[in-house]
Amino acid sequence: QRQAVLRGECEGIPIQSRPDFLLVDEARVVDLKTTSDVLRWGRDFTRFGYHLQVGIAALLGVKRFAFLV
């Protein structure tokens, strides 16, 4: 299995993302996450910076991003 790596720049700063699944034709990313308590997922989303992951992917041209928990 090959790992996809998306690379680009934001205001001259190199950025990259390594999604679990990348559907290039649809510019769609699916990222797998695990949790011991699904009720804490909202808090973990911010705590672990997952919102930043979505923003970086958008800067790299991803149109649709989904977390599979």
Side-chain angles (χ1 to χ4, degrees):
Q1 175 180 340
R2 252 181 40 203
Q3 180 167 3
V5 179
L6 303 173
R7 290 187 174 94
E9 283 190 8
C10 178
E11 297 186 13
I13 299 170
I15 58 175
Q16 71 178 22
S17 176
R18 290 189 178 109
D20 292 312
F21 297 99
L22 173 64
L23 301 164
V24 177
D25 293 344
E26 300 174 26
R28 183 185 313 197
V29 162
V30 176
D31 200 39
L32 302 176
K33 299 293 180 200
T34 59
T35 183
S36 59
D37 183 357
V38 74
L39 298 177
R40 292 179 37 167
W41 168 244
R43 182 173 43 183
D44 288 348
F45 183 82
T46 303
R47 181 176 171 215
F48 295 120
Y50 297 150
H51 60 294
L52 300 174
Q53 188 176 352
V54 175
I56 289 170
L59 289 172
L60 294 171
V62 173
K63 304 294 183 206
R64 297 183 70 188
F65 192 110
F67 289 105
L68 185 58
V69 180

